[in-house]
Amino acid sequence: MRPRVSRLRRLVLPARAVVRGGRAPCPHLLVEALRAHRGVARISFDDSELVIDYDPAQTSLPAVQALAERVGLALVERWSSCQWRLAGTHCADPVPGVPVLGDGRAAPDVQINCAAGTITAQVPSAGDGLVRLRQRLQQLGLTRPEDEADQVEARERVGLALLTALCALFLVAGRLAEALGAPHAPLYLAALAAGGVPSLRNALVALRRRTFGVDLLMLVAAAGAAALGEWFEGGVLLFLFSLSTTLEAFALGRTRSAIRALLALTPDVATVERDGREELLPAAALVPGDVVLVRPGERVPADGVVVSGTSLVDQAAITGESAPVPKDVGDECLSGTVNQQAALRLRVTRPASESTVARMVRMVEQARAQKARAQHLSEWFGQRYTLAVISLALAATAVPLALGHPAGPTIYRALTLLVVASPCAVVLATPAAVLSAIARAAQRGLLFKGGAFIERLAGVRVVLFDKTGTLTVGRPAVASFLAWQTSEAEALAEAAAAEQLSEHPLARAVVAYARERGLVLPSGDELEALPGHGVRARVGEAHVVIGNERLWATLDAELPAAALDAAAEWRGAGQTVAFVGRLDGARATLRAIVGWQDELRPTSRAAVAALRSAGLAHVAILTGDEPRTAAAVARALGMDYHAGLLPEDKVALVRALREQYGPVAMVGDGVNDAPALAAADVGIAMGGIGSDAAIESADLVLASDDMLRLVEAYELSRATVRIVRQSLAFGTAVIALLLVGALAGLVRLSVGVVGHEGSTLVVVANGLRLLRWRP
């Protein structure tokens, strides 16, 4: 028995909470699997969030959350997501039902994206379901082989252009023949045939799927006009419709080409050093540990670290940075970037399938398949609206005929209604803009995970920043060190021995500071991270702790007043402070105070100022650092701050600020700030293209560390939403005006065709403006 609605509680998880390895479970399967569990009442899952209503009397919040993550992981392991190139579907065609596999079983979660030209489906990881589904999709005329897709698309565009030109030629010849009194019917028939071939093919494919779309409407309207003796108007209708289809194909092909151009960034071959010899190998065959030679002018074939050489590398194609970046030994080079100055030897750090370019392509392809809310609305509208148009045309024919009106004018008016009320412009408004924005964003190093996040970023009212590694460069250095009742060398060596086990930037700074002073560090082990507090480790026979006052409070230890005064002075200067001590049982003895200083990113001040001037309600720092340290950074940048926060405090504050101001964007490194990134409406990872955690936890990844890229992303999202609204308003207004005119008998078929196709082209062109967008 279902629990009563009044007793239900709701758990809202970001979709990435059930994502593993960059893969999301099939929404259909996830909902079905969770619904079967005790205490779960209602579930919904989309591109952005998983919503579960549950009965607290039968289950608990932690149990529901653990269940969702466990089921999501199991489904990801059992089911695979596959994508094919879509074939033969017009913009306004209704999407068919879920295709079935060869043995009659359904393939869940089949998503068709006409504008992106893709079809995505979930198939069982084991067995031959993939083969059966591919065959079924080909039988339905939905897919074409991937290796032939580009050539087929190019031939189709050329074929469409040729048929459109022939239609125009026969129309002009027929008009001249009619004016001269010569036989003209064969010429008009040829025009109708040339202009109608693409529509006839698409209409037949749709009928095979037991659906119908705008192509069928246009064919009926043209045939009806010809039957009424309006040969020229029928020919003009098909010519303009064919021209519009051709231009749409070329226009949307530009967005797909912009995406596929990312693949060309990686060279086909690489010079690899093996056994003291240089040999050319396919770049796809490189594995971690290989050493590659990149000469001046060559592209970096794989992500790697410089092992010898110094040069300048052009990263514009990946990160959008306009100036070449210096590279020295130990620096990371990203695949697809161009070596400009001198030869570099790189040690490959990631396989080709996980390179920066491969990840960018994968993320952008995923983004094309995920739809913005406006696109879901326009597709829902388009599919139902088409049925309404047909019903209206039938009524506009049947009612006047029943009242005794002449058949010719009545049918002519109904045919005009079919044309002018077609929803092409409305359906294309969102995908034309969003696909162009995704392509343009990728070119500038802004990697959105879906159109939904472009739309959501445009509506944020709060932007929150992590401090270290986001607003600052993330390379802190020890600025102050004060030993307490021991020698500086002994206290520093002890602290560095504990910190050398950690990868945290503050830890690395302490180790570097000790080595600069020539200290020999004792061995350390048993490192234990204490989130929001510090670390604990064993150094020799001693147990060492390094952390803030919260850590010392848990150790039942009181810090001397003089030490607290020194820490306060350092924090006032913008330093991060920690206390080093030795454990004696449960108590700790102070050994030293250490202060770190991290410099601001050069563009942080300008980026914060730009966001504030954009009218955002709240721009602030979220940090676990001490209030005085955060205050110093906040003063330098002219922003608010929230300091001394544990990870759970950041999540709570994100939710509180959402309640107070509205949608929240959180900017962080994607690792330490993962909970806050997940809790925000839009999680943004700075400079995180090489970080697995950043890619999995963020909705938007900025490939560059330049803070102004964040401002670009915000401006692009607002421009995209603005263009979508313009196009929707324009397309709807044109349809309404033409519809009223057609019902009143004031709009002829030829005028309706021009208005319909003209509005569609305007909408597509308006969206494609984003391909040339500049901040």
Side-chain angles (χ1 to χ4, degrees):
M1 181 170 144
R2 286 286 184 192
R4 290 179 300 170
V5 173
S6 59
R7 300 174 54 192
L8 297 181
R9 292 184 183 175
R10 172 164 291 185
L11 170 65
V12 180
L13 290 172
R16 51 185 170 270
V18 290
V19 171
R20 293 294 183 273
R23 295 169 54 198
C26 165
H28 172 79
L29 292 176
L30 182 64
V31 169
E32 290 300 316
L34 291 176
R35 185 179 288 134
H37 283 76
R38 181 172 175 267
V40 175
R42 290 189 299 265
I43 307 167
S44 65
F45 182 48
D46 59 22
D47 296 335
S48 58
E49 63 186 18
L50 170 67
V51 179
I52 304 175
D53 292 327
Y54 66 97
D55 183 359
Q58 300 185 52
T59 187
S60 65
L61 176 62
V64 173
Q65 184 166 353
L67 172 67
E69 295 179 357
R70 185 171 66 253
V71 171
L73 175 60
L75 291 176
V76 164
E77 292 175 347
R78 288 173 47 205
W79 293 83
S80 300
S81 178
C82 299
Q83 188 175 89
W84 295 275
R85 198 68 63 82
L86 187 62
T89 301
H90 188 268
C91 67
D93 281 354
V95 175
V98 176
V100 294
L101 302 176
D103 57 2
R105 291 185 294 115
D109 198 32
V110 176
Q111 299 178 4
I112 296 180
N113 189 330
C114 299
T118 59
I119 178 168
T120 307
Q122 303 283 338
V123 295
S125 300
D128 59 349
L130 174 62
V131 175
R132 291 199 305 274
L133 178 58
R134 182 188 292 116
Q135 292 173 347
R136 179 60 176 156
L137 293 174
Q138 290 175 348
Q139 290 170 2
L140 292 170
L142 284 172
T143 64
R144 57 170 67 105
E146 182 66 25
D147 56 353
E148 299 177 9
D150 292 340
Q151 296 85 347
V152 171
E153 283 187 3
R155 287 198 300 268
E156 284 188 353
R157 287 195 291 267
V158 172
L160 279 172
L162 180 59
L163 288 172
T164 303
L166 287 174
C167 180
L169 180 63
F170 287 126
L171 269 180
V172 172
R175 195 65 164 176
L176 289 174
E178 187 178 6
L180 296 173
H184 55 272
L187 294 172
Y188 281 141
L189 280 173
L192 290 170
V197 165
S199 293
L200 179 61
R201 183 193 60 185
N202 290 334
L204 290 175
V205 169
L207 289 173
R208 284 171 57 194
R209 301 180 222 143
R210 299 180 183 179
T211 64
F212 55 89
V214 69
D215 294 279
L216 184 59
L217 299 184
M218 294 301 167
L219 286 172
V220 170
L228 294 174
E230 302 287 347
W231 292 92
F232 183 72
E233 289 195 359
V236 168
L237 186 157
L238 290 180
F239 164 70
L240 290 177
F241 187 66
S242 178
L243 177 63
S244 174
T245 303
T246 303
L247 294 178
E248 286 170 23
F250 276 97
L252 294 178
R254 288 185 58 193
T255 66
R256 299 173 195 168
S257 297
I259 303 289
R260 291 196 295 271
L262 291 172
L263 288 170
L265 295 177
T266 301
D268 295 328
V269 297
T271 304
V272 185
E273 296 182 357
R274 288 184 178 172
D275 301 324
R277 296 181 296 106
E278 294 181 3
E279 54 182 301
L280 288 178
L281 292 177
L286 295 175
V287 296
D290 282 342
V291 175
V292 297
L293 177 65
V294 185
R295 297 180 176 86
E298 293 182 344
R299 288 193 180 273
V300 176
D303 291 356
V305 175
V306 179
V307 294
S308 70
T310 301
S311 185
L312 292 175
V313 174
D314 181 1
Q315 300 186 156
I318 304 298
T319 66
E321 293 168 281
S322 57
V325 178
K327 297 292 181 181
D328 206 339
V329 175
D331 290 336
E332 184 180 25
C333 286
L334 304 178
S335 61
T337 57
V338 181
N339 182 22
Q340 288 195 329
Q341 204 171 57
L344 293 173
R345 293 173 65 246
L346 309 176
R347 178 173 289 108
V348 176
T349 56
R350 294 188 187 90
S353 61
E354 293 300 320
S355 71
T356 296
V357 170
R359 289 181 174 193
M360 288 177 67
V361 172
R362 192 156 56 242
M363 286 178 65
V364 176
E365 288 289 352
Q366 291 171 355
R368 293 199 312 175
Q370 294 179 357
K371 301 171 184 177
R373 187 182 300 109
Q375 187 170 348
H376 282 294
L377 178 62
S378 66
E379 290 183 355
W380 178 91
F381 167 81
Q383 294 171 35
R384 288 154 181 79
Y385 179 76
T386 301
L387 294 175
V389 168
I390 294 173
S391 300
L392 178 63
L394 290 174
T397 304
V399 172
L401 289 178
L403 296 175
H405 289 267
T410 297
I411 296 174
Y412 183 87
R413 183 179 303 168
L415 295 175
T416 305
L417 281 175
L418 285 177
V419 173
V420 302
S422 178
C424 282
V426 173
V427 173
L428 268 179
T430 301
V434 169
L435 288 174
S436 298
I438 288 172
R440 184 56 175 159
Q443 292 171 348
R444 300 191 66 82
L446 312 173
L447 305 178
F448 285 96
K449 286 194 175 179
F453 302 117
I454 294 180
E455 185 178 49
R456 198 175 298 171
L457 181 59
V460 300
R461 300 291 298 144
V462 177
V463 178
L464 304 174
F465 295 88
D466 173 48
K467 180 174 70 68
T468 304
T470 302
L471 292 169
T472 63
V473 296
R475 291 190 295 272
V478 175
S480 306
F481 191 90
L482 177 62
W484 200 265
Q485 298 181 348
T486 186
S487 69
E488 178 177 315
E490 184 178 354
L492 179 57
E494 204 167 72
E499 295 281 36
Q500 70 181 340
L501 303 173
S502 172
E503 290 297 319
H504 195 282
L506 299 181
R508 291 198 297 266
V510 172
V511 175
Y513 186 74
R515 287 176 175 162
E516 287 170 3
R517 280 148 185 77
L519 298 180
V520 177
L521 305 184
S523 61
D525 57 11
E526 298 180 10
L527 178 75
E528 180 185 0
L530 307 171
H533 294 79
V535 296
R536 186 199 320 254
R538 185 165 64 86
V539 179
E541 297 302 318
H543 289 272
V544 177
V545 291
I546 306 173
N548 52 29
E549 284 96 328
R550 287 195 297 266
L551 173 61
W552 285 75
T554 66
L555 299 173
D556 191 25
E558 186 174 345
L559 292 167
L564 293 173
D565 290 342
E569 181 181 348
W570 295 355
R571 286 173 178 142
Q575 295 182 29
T576 299
V577 178
F579 301 91
V580 183
R582 270 189 185 181
L583 283 177
D584 182 11
R587 293 183 58 83
T589 303
L590 183 65
R591 301 278 287 174
I593 314 170
V594 59
W596 294 268
Q597 189 84 48
D598 193 4
E599 61 181 295
L600 293 173
R601 293 191 187 278
T603 55
S604 289
R605 187 174 286 103
V608 170
L611 291 173
R612 292 185 72 90
S613 66
L616 292 170
H618 192 61
V619 181
I621 297 172
L622 251 62
T623 180
D625 216 336
E626 294 295 328
R628 280 164 290 191
T629 304
V633 176
R635 279 196 305 271
L637 295 174
M639 59 193 302
D640 300 318
Y641 69 93
H642 306 271
L645 303 175
L646 296 172
E648 57 267 30
D649 298 328
K650 292 184 179 182
V651 172
L653 188 56
V654 166
R655 291 171 178 164
L657 291 172
R658 180 189 294 117
E659 291 293 325
Q660 183 178 357
Y661 296 108
V664 176
M666 175 69 195
V667 189
D669 61 10
V671 182
N672 298 328
D673 299 296
L677 288 172
D681 295 275
V682 183
I684 303 172
M686 281 290 299
I689 188 60
S691 166
D692 291 332
I695 289 179
E696 289 193 21
S697 62
D699 305 310
L700 165 62
V701 177
L702 310 184
S704 169
D705 289 325
D706 185 352
M707 283 289 295
L708 289 175
R709 296 297 178 195
L710 172 62
V711 181
E712 283 191 21
Y714 181 61
E715 291 180 353
L716 176 59
S717 68
R718 294 179 70 179
T720 303
V721 170
R722 185 168 58 250
I723 284 177
V724 167
R725 289 173 178 169
Q726 290 172 357
S727 296
L728 286 173
F730 176 76
T732 303
V734 170
I735 289 175
L737 288 173
L738 291 175
L739 194 57
V740 171
L743 286 170
L746 301 176
V747 174
R748 290 187 60 81
L749 182 59
S750 56
V751 176
V753 170
V754 172
H756 171 268
E757 300 305 326
S759 65
T760 301
L761 293 176
V762 168
V763 163
V764 171
N766 195 38
L768 292 179
R769 289 193 297 133
L770 290 167
L771 288 174
R772 299 189 302 274
W773 179 87
R774 289 188 177 277

